[in-house]
């Protein structure tokens, strides 16, 4: 059996997208592991399934490159908005997307040529923000834990280029403080409106960008009074604009969504 897929990325965070309304997928955990391989598969940070929803317009499920299921992905949600509109699954420019961390509202920016270049996502309320003590004599003795529907650990440092992500990422992802593992963000404050960030994603490792990670980083920077409530987070793959609304307490994320190619694969 052959199924069609679309490779897309949001600020370099790339996933394989399958419309399960047309192509149901069994064993998505196994498919994510197989297809995400760069040398023997399609190559990606994971697999995203687009499906129906009883409480929203559509739903998404996300499987990391190691087969584990994620609660939420900001970059993937933007790409789903582009996919749904451009492939004619909806003509709505405001879409309610069901995720494992609740309904996320997508606002599409549609160009004159009827394509979507940017999407704004209401990412909800950052919660459970608090300082955590890590290893007293390590390079990273403390950080800030933030929940964006999935767990994050934000560590502020003077120079993110100096971080050995291959070494620090797995150690912190699997730290005993986080029994379900955590995403890890290293952040450098450039000024009150700009942050430079690098990320180690739970289940995927080093990625070019992380939408929920950018939200968590912005929330941590605002929590520690280092940035304003409107802040740009620059990652290896691109930049996202974050706004933490003082009235609703909701965090919105605005950024690009890019199609790479369509393909077909046998299962």
């Amino acid at each position: 059996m052959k199924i069609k897929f679309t490779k897309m990325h949001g600020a370099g965070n790339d996933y394989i997208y399958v419309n399960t309304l047309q192509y149901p997928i069994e064993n998505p955990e196994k498919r994510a592991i197989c297809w995400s391989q760069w040398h023997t598969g399609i190559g990606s940070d994971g697999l995203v399934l687009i499906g129906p929803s009883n409480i929203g317009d559509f739903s998404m499920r996300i499987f990391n490159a190691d087969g584990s299921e994620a609660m939420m992905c900001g970059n993937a949600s933007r790409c789903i908005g582009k996919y749904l509109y451009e492939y004619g699954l909806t003509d709505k420019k405001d879409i309610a997307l069901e995720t494992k961390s609740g309904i996320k509202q997508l606002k599409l920016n549609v160009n004159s040529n009827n394509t979507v270049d940017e999407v704004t996502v209401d990412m909800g309320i950052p919660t459970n923000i608090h300082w955590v003590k890590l290893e007293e004599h390590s390079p990273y003795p403390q950080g800030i834990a933030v929940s964006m529907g999935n767990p994050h650990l934000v560590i502020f440092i003077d120079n993110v280029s100096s971080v050995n992500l291959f070494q620090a990422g797995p150690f912190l992802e699997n730290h005993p403080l986080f029994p379900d593992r955590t995403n890890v963000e290293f952040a450098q404050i450039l000024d009150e409106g700009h942050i430079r960030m690098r990320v180690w994603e739970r289940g995927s490792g080093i990625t070019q960008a992380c939408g929920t990670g950018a939200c968590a980083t912005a929330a941590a920077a605002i929590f520690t009074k280092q940035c304003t409530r409107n802040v740009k987070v620059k990652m290896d793959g691109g930049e996202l604009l974050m706004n933490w609304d003082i009235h609703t307490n909701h965090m919105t994320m605005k950024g690009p969504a890019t199609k790479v190619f369509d393909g077909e694969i046998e299962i």
Side-chain angles (χ1 to χ4, degrees), residues 202-236:
R202 179 179 64 167
S204 293
I206 297 174
T207 59
Q208 294 291 295
C210 177
T212 56
C215 291
T217 298
I222 296 164
F223 172 74
T224 54
K225 296 180 170 54
Q226 299 181 84
C227 285
T228 65
R229 285 183 171 264
N230 289 284
V231 60
K232 291 182 178 179
V233 180
K234 184 177 182 181
M235 295 163 286
D236 291 345

Side-chain angles (χ1 to χ4, degrees), residues 25-40:
I25 297 290
E26 295 182 358
N27 300 318
E29 299 87 351
K30 178 181 177 182
R31 302 298 176 195
I33 295 170
C34 179
W35 294 348
S36 295
Q37 298 299 313
W38 282 99
H39 297 294
T40 57

Side-chain angles (χ1 to χ4, degrees), residues 127-198:
T127 61
N128 199 27
I129 307 174
H130 62 279
W131 285 97
V132 293
K133 291 184 178 180
L134 300 168
E135 306 299 320
E136 183 177 355
H137 300 293
S138 78
Y140 315 110
Q142 63 182 354
I144 299 175
V146 183
S147 175
M148 288 302 309
N150 57 357
H152 291 269
L153 173 65
V154 181
I155 297 175
F156 292 106
I157 59 174
D158 293 332
N159 182 7
V160 294
S161 298
S162 67
V163 178
N164 184 338
L165 282 178
F166 286 107
Q167 183 179 58
F171 171 74
L172 293 168
E173 176 191 358
N174 296 282
H175 194 281
L177 284 172
F178 306 100
D180 296 322
R181 300 185 295 162
T182 189
N183 299 281
V184 184
E185 287 80 34
F186 291 93
Q188 176 184 347
I189 304 297
L190 303 178
D191 58 50
E192 66 176 11
H194 296 84
I195 304 172
R196 176 72 174 96
M197 187 263 276
R198 296 176 68 199

Side-chain angles (χ1 to χ4, degrees), residues 2 13 55 96 99 105 112 123 133 135 239 257 259:
K2 292 183 178 180
N13 194 193
I55 58 174
T99 76
Q105 298 291 335
S112 57
M123 298 291 288
K133 291 184 178 180
E135 306 299 320
E239 192 172 77
K259 173 184 170 181

Side-chain angles (χ1 to χ4, degrees), residues 109-120:
N109 182 46
V110 180
N111 293 323
S112 57
N113 60 1
N114 219 33
T115 60
V116 176
D117 63 345
E118 285 187 323
V119 178
T120 300

